[in-house]
């Protein structure tokens, strides 16, 4: 992944994880795959970055986790959004929308 993609993913990884988990509980590999799918391959999540993000989000109280068996019979840690995580997703989404609107305004002013 090139540097510009890395910068974007680091700035939005928490929001992408929270949004993905707002749909259903998932294990780490499923979350990474879903983020890649919904971004049409633009975002590729580094497993180390994902693990660090999970630890941070759990510490902040935005995620809970439990060990479960996957459909393929392997054990995996499944993550789910907490009530605080849902509220944080709303905050992150509003912030993202505000920033995107500002960027659009700046681009329009330049043209």
């Amino acid at each position: 992944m090139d540097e510009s993609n890395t910068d974007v993913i680091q700035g939005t990884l928490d929001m992408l994880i929270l949004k993905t988990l707002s749909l259903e509980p998932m294990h780490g590999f499923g979350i990474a795959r879903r983020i890649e799918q919904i971004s049409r391959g633009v975002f590729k999540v580094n497993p180390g970055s994902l693990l660090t993000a999970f630890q941070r989000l759990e510490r902040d109280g935005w995620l809970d986790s439990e060990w479960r068996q996957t459909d393929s019979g392997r054990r995996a840690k499944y993550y789910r959004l907490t009530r605080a995580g849902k509220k944080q997703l709303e905050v992150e989404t509003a912030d993202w929308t505000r920033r995107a609107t500002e960027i659009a305004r700046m681009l329009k002013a330049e043209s």
Side-chain angles (χ1 to χ4, degrees):
M1 175 168 41
D2 68 25
E3 246 180 74
S4 62
N5 283 354
T6 301
D7 291 345
V8 171
I9 194 76
Q10 287 175 344
T12 59
L13 183 57
D14 290 358
M15 185 181 71
L16 291 169
I17 291 170
L18 295 174
K19 180 61 179 169
T20 300
L21 290 173
S22 72
L23 305 172
E24 64 181 314
M26 288 186 185
H27 54 75
F29 179 73
I31 293 167
R33 191 171 55 205
R34 175 79 49 91
I35 289 170
E36 188 174 336
Q37 287 172 345
I38 62 173
S39 72
R40 295 187 176 133
V42 171
F43 298 135
K44 296 190 187 320
V45 183
N46 176 307
S49 298
L50 197 58
L51 180 59
T52 302
F54 289 147
Q55 292 169 341
R56 182 179 60 254
L57 294 172
E58 275 193 288
R59 186 179 60 243
D60 291 343
W62 300 338
L63 298 183
D64 277 336
S65 65
E66 68 178 340
W67 288 96
R68 286 198 246 164
Q69 201 164 3
T70 66
D71 293 337
S72 64
R74 302 177 87 177
R75 273 181 42 109
K77 198 171 197 181
Y78 277 73
Y79 296 89
R80 73 171 183 80
L81 215 48
T82 62
R83 182 173 296 176
K86 290 175 186 174
K87 289 183 186 216
Q88 183 61 28
L89 176 58
E90 291 174 10
V91 169
E92 298 258 347
T93 301
D95 188 50
W96 177 264
T97 302
R98 182 186 55 75
R99 289 177 187 207
T101 301
E102 275 303 308
I103 290 169
R105 270 192 222 142
M106 290 183 338
L107 291 174
K108 188 175 183 180
E110 287 179 2
S111 56

